[in-house]
Amino acid sequence: MRHHRSLAPAFALALVLVLCGTGAVLAGTDREAARNAAPDQTLVMVASAWVDAANNAASADLVPERDDFDDDYKDEAAGPAIADPFERWNRFWFSFNDFLYFNALKPLAQGYGYILPEQLRTGIRNIFKNLLFPVRFLNCLLQGKLNQAAMEFSRFQVNTLGGFGGFGDLSNRHPDLIIKDEEDFGQTLGVWGFGDGPYLVWPVLGSSSVRDSVGLLGDSLADPVSYITPWYDSLGIKAYRGFNDTSLRIGDYEALVNAAVDPYTAMRNAYSQYRTKKVAK
Amino acid sequence: MKRLLLTSILILCLAVPLHGAQTAKDTILAAIDEVISILRTGDYADPASKDSLAARLKPIMDETFDFKEMSMRTVGRPWQTFTEDQQDEFAGLFAQLLTETYIDRIRQYTDEKVEFIDQRTNQKGNVEIQTKVVTADKEIPIFYRMTHHGKWMVYDVLVEGVSLVKNYRTQFQEILVNGKPSDLIETMTKKVASLRTTGK
């Protein structure tokens, strides 16, 4: 019973958001057309109306950004893109994670992949991703990206109502609703002007930075799964979420290690470039 | 005067399509199409087929990637301290490393599609061709930066915003800060040899 009570506020909030949004938009769209359309078409129409409204309301920020394309060697003089004062600690945990991956995580995830077909695992991942909507939505708002917040909102409605809680990820079939950049609190802090801070490698979780570690803490506050009690159920679900994701990404880490002369440096630099790009977007 | 004008217009008309046929965009998209059509002809996920796939893809990669330019850019400033022989040796090793790892990666190709998004040109006249690989449930942006040395060739690839050249540059820098060019070449030789033995 305790489980249900602790989840209630999150679900209630989600439900209210969905109902408010749907009601408001349906009032403004052609009811006749909505009635005649197939259920998921209606949802996409609703979603489009939202996106259009958002497009009109908030004009996109079109300041041309300067980047490395003009200045190819910009990073050379500046030294490593991310500071690494804890390199010994980081290298230790990098080796630890590497061992853990190849000797436990990967074989287990491969076995799991034999039992559960890929489509099912993708569906499970989509449900979890849909549940993380509050994280992305709040961070869009915190970064002033109203347009993208509206898109996230529409996606959440389409997926929750028409896609079996996100399993089908219906919104991906609508070109206007594909979100190329998912926001998190680490990026929000970056947009607010905080630098990466030193590079950090955490056991199991892997590459991060001081800023993005704070970001992870912030995001877990907006993650509905965090509010499941007891705490070990919550942790278990998060672990399963990560494990399921891993089963769909086997080969990525191997490719990086295989191509690298020094896998640790390659990973650190890839992480830093990837996060810098995400903050800039 | 009139005739001169007509002649120059005529020359322009002739010259434009000739040059236009060789744009950076056409070059890279043609190469991608060729690679995809080769991958579609057989099931290359089987490790035993790696050599036959490599034999077919290598010529395309040599045509498309400017490995000398990539080597120069990844090594950065210390490139000047390399002798000409060392530069050639390094470029050869780097080409092998990139070719082997690239082929290993795309062997798992199933039915992803490659779509052109956009392109832009920088002040030096280099072109960035922006594409995305579309899989069943996600899109991966892949950008090719190209320079024109007689023909358009790729000098950097950015996957989800991560530049390949920059990534290798940080790795090589760590070796070159305390080491000599010969140390880097030795590390590269070992790396390529280890790919040969474990990569199959």
Side-chain angles (χ1 to χ4, degrees), chain A residues 49-108:
Chain A
W50 254 96
V51 171
D52 289 345
N55 276 332
N56 295 335
S59 59
D61 199 5
L62 283 174
V63 179
E65 66 186 58
R66 254 195 73 77
D67 65 14
D68 61 316
F69 190 34
D70 282 314
D71 191 358
D72 299 313
Y73 296 99
K74 200 166 72 179
D75 59 315
E76 200 184 4
I82 186 163
D84 194 2
F86 311 120
E87 187 168 343
R88 285 187 65 175
W89 151 280
N90 287 341
R91 276 194 189 265
F92 173 79
W93 287 116
F94 181 80
S95 313
F96 174 88
N97 289 341
D98 182 86
F99 183 85
L100 190 74
Y101 177 74
F102 283 110
N103 294 285
L105 202 53
K106 186 183 174 183
L108 282 173

Short mmCIF file of all heavy atoms in Angstrom, two decimals, chain A residues 49-108:
data_model
loop_
_atom_site.label_atom_id
_atom_site.label_comp_id
_atom_site.label_asym_id
_atom_site.label_seq_id
_atom_site.Cartn_x
_atom_site.Cartn_y
_atom_site.Cartn_z
N ALA A 49 -1.22 20.99 -33.12
CA ALA A 49 -1.79 22.27 -32.72
C ALA A 49 -0.94 22.91 -31.63
O ALA A 49 -0.66 24.11 -31.66
CB ALA A 49 -3.22 22.06 -32.24
N TRP A 50 -0.52 22.08 -30.70
CA TRP A 50 0.33 22.59 -29.62
C TRP A 50 1.62 23.17 -30.15
O TRP A 50 2.07 24.23 -29.76
CB TRP A 50 0.66 21.45 -28.65
CG TRP A 50 -0.09 21.58 -27.38
CD1 TRP A 50 -1.25 20.97 -27.07
CD2 TRP A 50 0.26 22.40 -26.27
NE1 TRP A 50 -1.66 21.35 -25.83
CE2 TRP A 50 -0.76 22.23 -25.31
CE3 TRP A 50 1.31 23.27 -26.00
CZ2 TRP A 50 -0.75 22.89 -24.09
CZ3 TRP A 50 1.32 23.93 -24.78
CH2 TRP A 50 0.30 23.73 -23.85
N VAL A 51 2.23 22.41 -31.07
CA VAL A 51 3.53 22.85 -31.60
C VAL A 51 3.35 24.15 -32.37
O VAL A 51 4.14 25.08 -32.24
CB VAL A 51 4.15 21.75 -32.48
CG1 VAL A 51 5.38 22.28 -33.19
CG2 VAL A 51 4.51 20.56 -31.62
N ASP A 52 2.28 24.22 -33.18
CA ASP A 52 2.03 25.44 -33.94
C ASP A 52 1.86 26.63 -33.01
O ASP A 52 2.43 27.70 -33.21
CB ASP A 52 0.79 25.29 -34.82
CG ASP A 52 1.04 24.36 -35.98
OD1 ASP A 52 2.24 24.08 -36.25
OD2 ASP A 52 0.08 23.88 -36.58
N ALA A 53 1.03 26.41 -31.97
CA ALA A 53 0.80 27.48 -31.00
C ALA A 53 2.12 27.94 -30.39
O ALA A 53 2.39 29.14 -30.27
CB ALA A 53 -0.15 27.00 -29.92
N ALA A 54 2.94 26.97 -30.05
CA ALA A 54 4.21 27.29 -29.42
C ALA A 54 5.12 28.04 -30.39
O ALA A 54 5.82 28.98 -30.02
CB ALA A 54 4.88 26.02 -28.93
N ASN A 55 5.08 27.62 -31.66
CA ASN A 55 5.91 28.28 -32.66
C ASN A 55 5.54 29.75 -32.80
O ASN A 55 6.40 30.60 -32.98
CB ASN A 55 5.74 27.59 -34.02
CG ASN A 55 6.64 26.38 -34.14
OD1 ASN A 55 7.70 26.34 -33.52
ND2 ASN A 55 6.23 25.40 -34.90
N ASN A 56 4.22 30.01 -32.75
CA ASN A 56 3.79 31.39 -32.87
C ASN A 56 4.14 32.20 -31.63
O ASN A 56 4.50 33.36 -31.71
CB ASN A 56 2.28 31.44 -33.11
CG ASN A 56 1.91 30.81 -34.43
OD1 ASN A 56 2.75 30.76 -35.34
ND2 ASN A 56 0.69 30.31 -34.54
N ALA A 57 4.00 31.54 -30.47
CA ALA A 57 4.21 32.26 -29.22
C ALA A 57 5.67 32.61 -29.00
O ALA A 57 6.01 33.74 -28.68
CB ALA A 57 3.69 31.42 -28.06
N ALA A 58 6.52 31.65 -29.17
CA ALA A 58 7.93 31.88 -28.86
C ALA A 58 8.76 31.80 -30.13
O ALA A 58 8.89 30.74 -30.71
CB ALA A 58 8.41 30.84 -27.86
N SER A 59 9.29 32.91 -30.59
CA SER A 59 10.13 32.85 -31.78
C SER A 59 11.51 32.33 -31.38
O SER A 59 12.06 32.69 -30.35
CB SER A 59 10.24 34.24 -32.41
OG SER A 59 10.80 35.13 -31.48
N ALA A 60 12.03 31.47 -32.21
CA ALA A 60 13.29 30.80 -31.87
C ALA A 60 14.45 31.80 -31.81
O ALA A 60 14.48 32.79 -32.54
CB ALA A 60 13.57 29.72 -32.89
N ASP A 61 15.36 31.49 -30.97
CA ASP A 61 16.54 32.31 -30.79
C ASP A 61 17.54 31.98 -31.90
O ASP A 61 18.02 30.87 -31.97
CB ASP A 61 17.13 31.99 -29.42
CG ASP A 61 18.05 33.08 -28.94
OD1 ASP A 61 18.15 34.12 -29.62
OD2 ASP A 61 18.68 32.89 -27.90
N LEU A 62 17.82 32.92 -32.78
CA LEU A 62 18.63 32.57 -33.95
C LEU A 62 19.98 33.28 -33.97
O LEU A 62 20.42 33.78 -34.99
CB LEU A 62 17.87 32.87 -35.23
CG LEU A 62 16.78 31.86 -35.61
CD1 LEU A 62 16.00 32.33 -36.82
CD2 LEU A 62 17.36 30.48 -35.85
N VAL A 63 20.63 33.34 -32.84
CA VAL A 63 21.96 33.94 -32.79
C VAL A 63 22.96 32.94 -33.36
O VAL A 63 23.06 31.83 -32.88
CB VAL A 63 22.34 34.30 -31.34
CG1 VAL A 63 23.74 34.89 -31.29
CG2 VAL A 63 21.34 35.26 -30.76
N PRO A 64 23.69 33.31 -34.43
CA PRO A 64 24.64 32.35 -34.98
C PRO A 64 25.76 32.08 -33.98
O PRO A 64 26.35 33.01 -33.44
CB PRO A 64 25.17 33.07 -36.23
CG PRO A 64 24.92 34.51 -36.00
CD PRO A 64 23.73 34.61 -35.09
N GLU A 65 25.99 30.82 -33.72
CA GLU A 65 27.02 30.52 -32.73
C GLU A 65 28.36 30.27 -33.42
O GLU A 65 28.43 29.67 -34.48
CB GLU A 65 26.60 29.30 -31.92
CG GLU A 65 26.54 28.03 -32.73
CD GLU A 65 25.98 26.87 -31.94
OE1 GLU A 65 24.85 26.98 -31.46
OE2 GLU A 65 26.68 25.86 -31.82
N ARG A 66 29.41 30.75 -32.79
CA ARG A 66 30.75 30.49 -33.32
C ARG A 66 31.19 29.14 -32.80
O ARG A 66 30.97 28.79 -31.66
CB ARG A 66 31.71 31.56 -32.79
CG ARG A 66 32.11 32.58 -33.83
CD ARG A 66 33.30 33.36 -33.36
NE ARG A 66 34.51 32.56 -33.41
CZ ARG A 66 35.17 32.28 -34.52
NH1 ARG A 66 34.75 32.71 -35.68
NH2 ARG A 66 36.27 31.57 -34.49
N ASP A 67 31.75 28.35 -33.66
CA ASP A 67 32.21 27.06 -33.17
C ASP A 67 33.56 26.70 -33.74
O ASP A 67 34.26 27.54 -34.32
CB ASP A 67 31.16 25.97 -33.41
CG ASP A 67 30.93 25.73 -34.90
OD1 ASP A 67 31.76 26.20 -35.70
OD2 ASP A 67 29.94 25.08 -35.24
N ASP A 68 33.93 25.44 -33.60
CA ASP A 68 35.27 25.01 -33.96
C ASP A 68 35.46 24.84 -35.45
O ASP A 68 36.56 24.55 -35.89
CB ASP A 68 35.57 23.70 -33.26
CG ASP A 68 34.59 22.63 -33.70
OD1 ASP A 68 33.39 22.93 -33.77
OD2 ASP A 68 35.02 21.51 -34.00
N PHE A 69 34.40 24.96 -36.24
CA PHE A 69 34.54 24.71 -37.68
C PHE A 69 35.47 25.75 -38.31
O PHE A 69 36.25 25.44 -39.21
CB PHE A 69 33.15 24.73 -38.33
CG PHE A 69 33.14 24.27 -39.76
CD1 PHE A 69 34.00 23.28 -40.21
CD2 PHE A 69 32.25 24.82 -40.67
CE1 PHE A 69 33.97 22.84 -41.51
CE2 PHE A 69 32.22 24.39 -41.99
CZ PHE A 69 33.08 23.40 -42.41
N ASP A 70 35.38 27.01 -37.83
CA ASP A 70 36.24 28.06 -38.37
C ASP A 70 37.64 28.01 -37.77
O ASP A 70 38.60 28.41 -38.39
CB ASP A 70 35.62 29.43 -38.12
CG ASP A 70 34.51 29.71 -39.10
OD1 ASP A 70 34.72 29.47 -40.30
OD2 ASP A 70 33.44 30.15 -38.67
N ASP A 71 37.70 27.57 -36.53
CA ASP A 71 38.97 27.61 -35.81
C ASP A 71 39.35 26.19 -35.41
O ASP A 71 39.10 25.75 -34.31
CB ASP A 71 38.82 28.51 -34.58
CG ASP A 71 40.16 28.81 -33.95
OD1 ASP A 71 41.17 28.28 -34.45
OD2 ASP A 71 40.19 29.54 -32.95
N ASP A 72 39.96 25.48 -36.37
CA ASP A 72 40.15 24.05 -36.19
C ASP A 72 41.02 23.67 -35.01
O ASP A 72 40.87 22.63 -34.42
CB ASP A 72 40.79 23.45 -37.45
CG ASP A 72 39.92 23.64 -38.67
OD1 ASP A 72 38.73 23.36 -38.54
OD2 ASP A 72 40.42 24.08 -39.71
N TYR A 73 41.96 24.53 -34.69
CA TYR A 73 42.93 24.16 -33.64
C TYR A 73 42.67 24.91 -32.35
O TYR A 73 43.54 25.00 -31.50
CB TYR A 73 44.35 24.41 -34.12
CG TYR A 73 44.74 23.56 -35.28
CD1 TYR A 73 44.70 24.03 -36.58
CD2 TYR A 73 45.11 22.23 -35.07
CE1 TYR A 73 45.03 23.23 -37.65
CE2 TYR A 73 45.45 21.41 -36.13
CZ TYR A 73 45.41 21.91 -37.42
OH TYR A 73 45.74 21.10 -38.47
N LYS A 74 41.45 25.46 -32.22
CA LYS A 74 41.14 26.28 -31.07
C LYS A 74 41.44 25.56 -29.75
O LYS A 74 41.92 26.15 -28.80
CB LYS A 74 39.65 26.67 -31.11
CG LYS A 74 39.31 27.86 -30.26
CD LYS A 74 37.93 28.40 -30.59
CE LYS A 74 36.83 27.50 -30.09
NZ LYS A 74 35.50 28.03 -30.38
N ASP A 75 41.16 24.26 -29.74
CA ASP A 75 41.31 23.52 -28.48
C ASP A 75 42.75 23.16 -28.17
O ASP A 75 43.07 22.80 -27.06
CB ASP A 75 40.46 22.25 -28.52
CG ASP A 75 40.87 21.36 -29.67
OD1 ASP A 75 41.06 21.89 -30.78
OD2 ASP A 75 41.02 20.15 -29.47
N GLU A 76 43.63 23.28 -29.17
CA GLU A 76 44.98 22.76 -28.96
C GLU A 76 45.75 23.56 -27.91
O GLU A 76 46.36 23.00 -27.00
CB GLU A 76 45.75 22.76 -30.28
CG GLU A 76 46.93 21.80 -30.21
CD GLU A 76 47.77 21.83 -31.46
OE1 GLU A 76 47.49 22.63 -32.36
OE2 GLU A 76 48.71 21.04 -31.51
N ALA A 77 45.67 24.89 -28.04
CA ALA A 77 46.42 25.73 -27.12
C ALA A 77 45.80 25.69 -25.72
O ALA A 77 46.50 25.80 -24.72
CB ALA A 77 46.43 27.17 -27.63
N ALA A 78 44.50 25.51 -25.68
CA ALA A 78 43.79 25.56 -24.40
C ALA A 78 44.02 24.33 -23.53
O ALA A 78 43.57 24.29 -22.39
CB ALA A 78 42.30 25.74 -24.66
N GLY A 79 44.72 23.32 -24.07
CA GLY A 79 44.94 22.11 -23.30
C GLY A 79 43.73 21.21 -23.34
O GLY A 79 42.84 21.42 -24.16
N PRO A 80 43.68 20.20 -22.46
CA PRO A 80 42.55 19.27 -22.50
C PRO A 80 41.22 20.01 -22.32
O PRO A 80 41.15 21.00 -21.57
CB PRO A 80 42.81 18.33 -21.33
CG PRO A 80 44.16 18.62 -20.82
CD PRO A 80 44.59 19.93 -21.38
N ALA A 81 40.19 19.53 -23.01
CA ALA A 81 38.91 20.22 -22.99
C ALA A 81 38.28 20.20 -21.60
O ALA A 81 37.50 21.06 -21.25
CB ALA A 81 37.97 19.58 -24.00
N ILE A 82 38.64 19.22 -20.79
CA ILE A 82 38.06 19.14 -19.45
C ILE A 82 39.19 18.85 -18.45
O ILE A 82 40.07 18.04 -18.72
CB ILE A 82 36.94 18.06 -19.40
CG1 ILE A 82 36.23 18.07 -18.05
CG2 ILE A 82 37.46 16.67 -19.72
CD1 ILE A 82 34.88 17.36 -18.07
N ALA A 83 39.16 19.57 -17.31
CA ALA A 83 40.21 19.39 -16.30
C ALA A 83 40.07 18.02 -15.65
O ALA A 83 38.96 17.52 -15.48
CB ALA A 83 40.09 20.49 -15.25
N ASP A 84 41.20 17.43 -15.30
CA ASP A 84 41.14 16.09 -14.72
C ASP A 84 42.09 15.96 -13.53
O ASP A 84 43.03 15.15 -13.54
CB ASP A 84 41.46 15.05 -15.81
CG ASP A 84 41.09 13.64 -15.39
OD1 ASP A 84 40.56 13.47 -14.29
OD2 ASP A 84 41.34 12.71 -16.18
N PRO A 85 41.85 16.73 -12.47
CA PRO A 85 42.76 16.66 -11.32
C PRO A 85 42.65 15.33 -10.55
O PRO A 85 43.56 14.97 -9.82
CB PRO A 85 42.31 17.83 -10.44
CG PRO A 85 40.92 18.13 -10.84
CD PRO A 85 40.80 17.75 -12.28
N PHE A 86 41.55 14.63 -10.74
CA PHE A 86 41.37 13.36 -10.01
C PHE A 86 41.67 12.16 -10.90
O PHE A 86 41.02 11.13 -10.81
CB PHE A 86 39.94 13.25 -9.46
CG PHE A 86 39.48 14.48 -8.74
CD1 PHE A 86 38.38 15.20 -9.17
CD2 PHE A 86 40.17 14.94 -7.61
CE1 PHE A 86 37.96 16.34 -8.51
CE2 PHE A 86 39.77 16.08 -6.94
CZ PHE A 86 38.65 16.78 -7.40
N GLU A 87 42.65 12.34 -11.80
CA GLU A 87 42.88 11.31 -12.82
C GLU A 87 43.13 9.93 -12.22
O GLU A 87 42.66 8.93 -12.78
CB GLU A 87 44.05 11.72 -13.72
CG GLU A 87 44.21 10.76 -14.89
CD GLU A 87 45.14 11.25 -15.98
OE1 GLU A 87 45.43 12.46 -16.02
OE2 GLU A 87 45.58 10.40 -16.77
N ARG A 88 43.83 9.85 -11.09
CA ARG A 88 44.13 8.52 -10.53
C ARG A 88 42.85 7.83 -10.06
O ARG A 88 42.63 6.65 -10.33
CB ARG A 88 45.13 8.64 -9.37
CG ARG A 88 46.52 8.90 -9.88
CD ARG A 88 47.54 8.85 -8.80
NE ARG A 88 47.65 7.51 -8.22
CZ ARG A 88 48.57 7.20 -7.30
NH1 ARG A 88 49.42 8.10 -6.90
NH2 ARG A 88 48.62 5.99 -6.80
N TRP A 89 42.03 8.58 -9.35
CA TRP A 89 40.71 8.07 -8.92
C TRP A 89 39.89 7.67 -10.15
O TRP A 89 39.30 6.59 -10.23
CB TRP A 89 40.02 9.15 -8.08
CG TRP A 89 38.51 9.15 -8.10
CD1 TRP A 89 37.72 9.66 -9.07
CD2 TRP A 89 37.63 8.62 -7.09
NE1 TRP A 89 36.39 9.50 -8.73
CE2 TRP A 89 36.30 8.86 -7.53
CE3 TRP A 89 37.83 7.99 -5.86
CZ2 TRP A 89 35.18 8.49 -6.80
CZ3 TRP A 89 36.70 7.62 -5.13
CH2 TRP A 89 35.40 7.86 -5.58
N ASN A 90 39.86 8.57 -11.13
CA ASN A 90 39.05 8.33 -12.33
C ASN A 90 39.51 7.10 -13.11
O ASN A 90 38.70 6.32 -13.57
CB ASN A 90 39.09 9.55 -13.23
CG ASN A 90 38.27 10.70 -12.68
OD1 ASN A 90 37.40 10.49 -11.83
ND2 ASN A 90 38.56 11.91 -13.14
N ARG A 91 40.84 6.99 -13.25
CA ARG A 91 41.36 5.84 -14.00
C ARG A 91 41.04 4.54 -13.27
O ARG A 91 40.76 3.52 -13.89
CB ARG A 91 42.87 5.97 -14.23
CG ARG A 91 43.21 6.82 -15.43
CD ARG A 91 44.67 6.65 -15.84
NE ARG A 91 45.05 7.61 -16.87
CZ ARG A 91 45.03 7.35 -18.17
NH1 ARG A 91 44.67 6.16 -18.61
NH2 ARG A 91 45.38 8.27 -19.05
N PHE A 92 41.11 4.58 -11.93
CA PHE A 92 40.76 3.39 -11.16
C PHE A 92 39.34 2.95 -11.45
O PHE A 92 39.06 1.80 -11.79
CB PHE A 92 40.95 3.62 -9.65
CG PHE A 92 40.44 2.47 -8.83
CD1 PHE A 92 41.20 1.32 -8.70
CD2 PHE A 92 39.19 2.53 -8.22
CE1 PHE A 92 40.71 0.24 -7.98
CE2 PHE A 92 38.69 1.46 -7.49
CZ PHE A 92 39.46 0.30 -7.36
N TRP A 93 38.40 3.90 -11.36
CA TRP A 93 36.99 3.53 -11.57
C TRP A 93 36.70 3.22 -13.03
O TRP A 93 35.81 2.43 -13.34
CB TRP A 93 36.05 4.62 -11.04
CG TRP A 93 36.03 4.62 -9.54
CD1 TRP A 93 36.45 5.62 -8.72
CD2 TRP A 93 35.59 3.55 -8.69
NE1 TRP A 93 36.31 5.24 -7.40
CE2 TRP A 93 35.78 3.98 -7.36
CE3 TRP A 93 35.07 2.28 -8.91
CZ2 TRP A 93 35.46 3.18 -6.25
CZ3 TRP A 93 34.76 1.48 -7.82
CH2 TRP A 93 34.95 1.93 -6.51
N PHE A 94 37.45 3.82 -13.93
CA PHE A 94 37.30 3.48 -15.35
C PHE A 94 37.66 2.01 -15.58
O PHE A 94 36.91 1.28 -16.23
CB PHE A 94 38.18 4.39 -16.21
CG PHE A 94 38.04 4.12 -17.69
CD1 PHE A 94 36.96 4.62 -18.39
CD2 PHE A 94 38.99 3.37 -18.36
CE1 PHE A 94 36.81 4.36 -19.74
CE2 PHE A 94 38.85 3.10 -19.71
CZ PHE A 94 37.77 3.60 -20.41
N SER A 95 38.78 1.57 -14.99
CA SER A 95 39.19 0.16 -15.13
C SER A 95 38.17 -0.75 -14.45
O SER A 95 37.83 -1.82 -14.97
CB SER A 95 40.55 -0.10 -14.50
OG SER A 95 41.46 0.87 -14.90
N PHE A 96 37.71 -0.32 -13.28
CA PHE A 96 36.71 -1.09 -12.55
C PHE A 96 35.45 -1.27 -13.41
O PHE A 96 34.95 -2.39 -13.57
CB PHE A 96 36.38 -0.36 -11.25
CG PHE A 96 35.26 -0.98 -10.46
CD1 PHE A 96 35.51 -1.99 -9.54
CD2 PHE A 96 33.95 -0.55 -10.64
CE1 PHE A 96 34.47 -2.56 -8.82
CE2 PHE A 96 32.90 -1.11 -9.92
CZ PHE A 96 33.16 -2.12 -9.00
N ASN A 97 34.96 -0.18 -13.98
CA ASN A 97 33.74 -0.24 -14.81
C ASN A 97 33.96 -1.09 -16.06
O ASN A 97 33.06 -1.81 -16.50
CB ASN A 97 33.30 1.17 -15.22
CG ASN A 97 32.74 1.95 -14.05
OD1 ASN A 97 32.35 1.38 -13.04
ND2 ASN A 97 32.70 3.27 -14.18
N ASP A 98 35.16 -0.98 -16.62
CA ASP A 98 35.50 -1.75 -17.80
C ASP A 98 35.42 -3.25 -17.49
O ASP A 98 34.82 -4.04 -18.22
CB ASP A 98 36.91 -1.36 -18.26
CG ASP A 98 37.34 -2.09 -19.52
OD1 ASP A 98 37.03 -1.59 -20.63
OD2 ASP A 98 37.97 -3.16 -19.39
N PHE A 99 36.01 -3.62 -16.34
CA PHE A 99 36.00 -5.02 -15.90
C PHE A 99 34.55 -5.47 -15.65
O PHE A 99 34.14 -6.54 -16.09
CB PHE A 99 36.84 -5.17 -14.62
CG PHE A 99 36.94 -6.58 -14.14
CD1 PHE A 99 37.91 -7.44 -14.66
CD2 PHE A 99 36.08 -7.07 -13.17
CE1 PHE A 99 38.00 -8.76 -14.23
CE2 PHE A 99 36.16 -8.38 -12.73
CZ PHE A 99 37.12 -9.23 -13.27
N LEU A 100 33.83 -4.64 -14.95
CA LEU A 100 32.43 -4.95 -14.63
C LEU A 100 31.61 -5.16 -15.89
O LEU A 100 30.80 -6.08 -16.00
CB LEU A 100 31.84 -3.81 -13.80
CG LEU A 100 30.47 -4.05 -13.18
CD1 LEU A 100 30.60 -4.99 -11.99
CD2 LEU A 100 29.85 -2.72 -12.72
N TYR A 101 31.85 -4.30 -16.88
CA TYR A 101 31.08 -4.38 -18.12
C TYR A 101 31.36 -5.68 -18.85
O TYR A 101 30.44 -6.42 -19.20
CB TYR A 101 31.41 -3.18 -19.03
CG TYR A 101 30.69 -3.25 -20.35
CD1 TYR A 101 29.35 -2.97 -20.44
CD2 TYR A 101 31.37 -3.62 -21.51
CE1 TYR A 101 28.66 -3.06 -21.65
CE2 TYR A 101 30.71 -3.70 -22.73
CZ TYR A 101 29.36 -3.42 -22.79
OH TYR A 101 28.70 -3.52 -23.99
N PHE A 102 32.65 -5.98 -19.06
CA PHE A 102 32.96 -7.15 -19.88
C PHE A 102 32.72 -8.47 -19.16
O PHE A 102 32.44 -9.48 -19.80
CB PHE A 102 34.41 -7.08 -20.39
CG PHE A 102 34.57 -6.12 -21.54
CD1 PHE A 102 35.26 -4.92 -21.38
CD2 PHE A 102 34.01 -6.41 -22.77
CE1 PHE A 102 35.38 -4.03 -22.44
CE2 PHE A 102 34.13 -5.53 -23.84
CZ PHE A 102 34.82 -4.34 -23.66
N ASN A 103 32.81 -8.46 -17.82
CA ASN A 103 32.69 -9.73 -17.10
C ASN A 103 31.34 -9.98 -16.47
O ASN A 103 31.04 -11.10 -16.11
CB ASN A 103 33.78 -9.82 -16.03
CG ASN A 103 35.15 -9.91 -16.66
OD1 ASN A 103 35.53 -10.95 -17.18
ND2 ASN A 103 35.86 -8.79 -16.67
N ALA A 104 30.53 -8.96 -16.30
CA ALA A 104 29.22 -9.19 -15.68
C ALA A 104 28.10 -8.57 -16.51
O ALA A 104 27.21 -9.28 -17.01
CB ALA A 104 29.22 -8.60 -14.26
N LEU A 105 28.17 -7.27 -16.69
CA LEU A 105 27.05 -6.56 -17.31
C LEU A 105 26.77 -7.05 -18.73
O LEU A 105 25.63 -7.38 -19.08
CB LEU A 105 27.38 -5.06 -17.33
CG LEU A 105 26.20 -4.11 -17.43
CD1 LEU A 105 25.18 -4.42 -16.37
CD2 LEU A 105 26.69 -2.67 -17.29
N LYS A 106 27.83 -7.14 -19.54
CA LYS A 106 27.62 -7.51 -20.94
C LYS A 106 27.09 -8.93 -21.09
O LYS A 106 26.08 -9.14 -21.78
CB LYS A 106 28.92 -7.32 -21.73
CG LYS A 106 28.75 -7.54 -23.21
CD LYS A 106 30.06 -7.42 -23.94
CE LYS A 106 29.88 -7.79 -25.40
NZ LYS A 106 31.16 -7.76 -26.12
N PRO A 107 27.73 -9.95 -20.45
CA PRO A 107 27.16 -11.30 -20.59
C PRO A 107 25.72 -11.39 -20.09
O PRO A 107 24.89 -12.05 -20.74
CB PRO A 107 28.09 -12.19 -19.75
CG PRO A 107 29.15 -11.34 -19.21
CD PRO A 107 29.01 -9.96 -19.73
N LEU A 108 25.42 -10.74 -18.97
CA LEU A 108 24.05 -10.77 -18.45
C LEU A 108 23.09 -10.10 -19.43
O LEU A 108 22.00 -10.62 -19.70
CB LEU A 108 23.98 -10.04 -17.10
CG LEU A 108 24.50 -10.82 -15.88
CD1 LEU A 108 24.54 -9.92 -14.66
CD2 LEU A 108 23.62 -12.05 -15.62
#
